[in-house]
Amino acid sequence: MTGPSAGAPGGEALHRVVYRSEMALVGTAAEVGDEIRAILAASRRNNAAAALTGALLYSGRHFTQVLEGPLDALERTYDRISADLRHSAFDLVQFVPLQARTFGEWGMAYVTPGELDGIWDDRPAFEPSAPLDVEALVAALRRALAAGERGVKVDLPRGRS
Ligand SMILES: Cc1cc2nc3c(=O)[nH]c(=O)nc-3n(C[C@H](O)[C@H](O)[C@H](O)COP(=O)(O)O)c2cc1C
């Protein structure tokens, strides 16, 4: 059995999507934290089943997400995400073919800007209107994940659950 690769035909060709959005959740920090955890749980479950990998950067006000995998699955998932009312001001930054996965180990890694300290100090503001160097973002996320404990840190205010 072969895994998804750039050389595979049609909808199996590897692609990457990068978007930014504004967080539209309301509630206490704990309630927002619960929602983010629920988003990550659904993402990890669905992405594993669809052979998608990537990282979600959450600044407290904005999301920046990199998602990669076979084109068909990526498009279906992207359609769901972009219609999700938990964010707004949705801005597609990049949708491109990819030679190889960058986040092969992570169904959906979670990163906060503080984890990029010392890795990408002159990073831009992570908001939809600011210019974004995607390759610099991807490289910084990868380095942050390599530096972290198994790469996945979920450090959010605890709510009811
Ligand atoms: C910022 C953000 C990122 C998301 N990322 C993903 C993702 O990577 N994969 C995914 O399946 N759903 C993601 N979602 C959730 C989808 O919008 C949708 O709620 C979910 O896929 C529905 O799955 P379910 O029917 O299994 O609950 C994201 C939502 C938000 C707000």
Side-chain angles (χ1 to χ4, degrees):
M1 191 176 142
T2 56
S5 77
E12 288 301 307
L14 209 51
H15 281 67
R16 173 169 77 195
V17 64
V18 180
Y19 76 83
R20 293 180 296 185
S21 67
E22 213 167 285
M23 196 272 282
L25 294 164
V26 287
T28 63
E31 286 165 348
V32 171
D34 283 346
E35 275 297 326
I36 303 282
R37 260 189 295 276
I39 288 169
L40 288 170
S43 301
R44 288 170 180 155
R45 187 181 64 240
N46 295 337
N47 295 356
L52 299 177
T53 46
L56 179 67
L57 176 70
Y58 173 55
S59 73
R61 284 185 55 216
H62 298 97
F63 296 111
T64 303
Q65 191 173 22
V66 182
L67 197 56
E68 59 191 17
L71 181 59
D72 284 350
L74 191 60
E75 282 180 334
R76 275 196 300 277
T77 302
Y78 176 76
D79 285 348
R80 277 204 317 276
I81 297 173
S82 59
D84 195 314
L85 297 177
R86 289 173 290 188
H87 52 184
S88 61
F90 196 92
D91 178 40
L92 174 63
V93 178
Q94 188 186 65
F95 204 133
V96 293
L98 206 59
Q99 288 303 312
R101 288 175 193 266
T102 306
F103 301 99
E105 306 97 293
W106 296 286
M108 186 45 59
Y110 178 73
V111 178
T112 54
E115 290 170 74
L116 303 177
D117 288 348
I119 288 174
W120 194 14
D121 287 327
D122 61 348
R123 60 185 178 263
F126 292 114
E127 55 186 46
S129 57
L132 180 66
D133 179 338
V134 172
E135 295 310 323
L137 166 76
V138 167
L141 288 173
R142 255 215 81 92
R143 288 183 58 198
L145 292 168
E149 226 174 80
R150 280 181 42 84
V152 181
K153 292 184 178 169
V154 181
D155 182 18
L156 299 163
R158 286 257 157 215
R160 293 172 308 278
S161 59

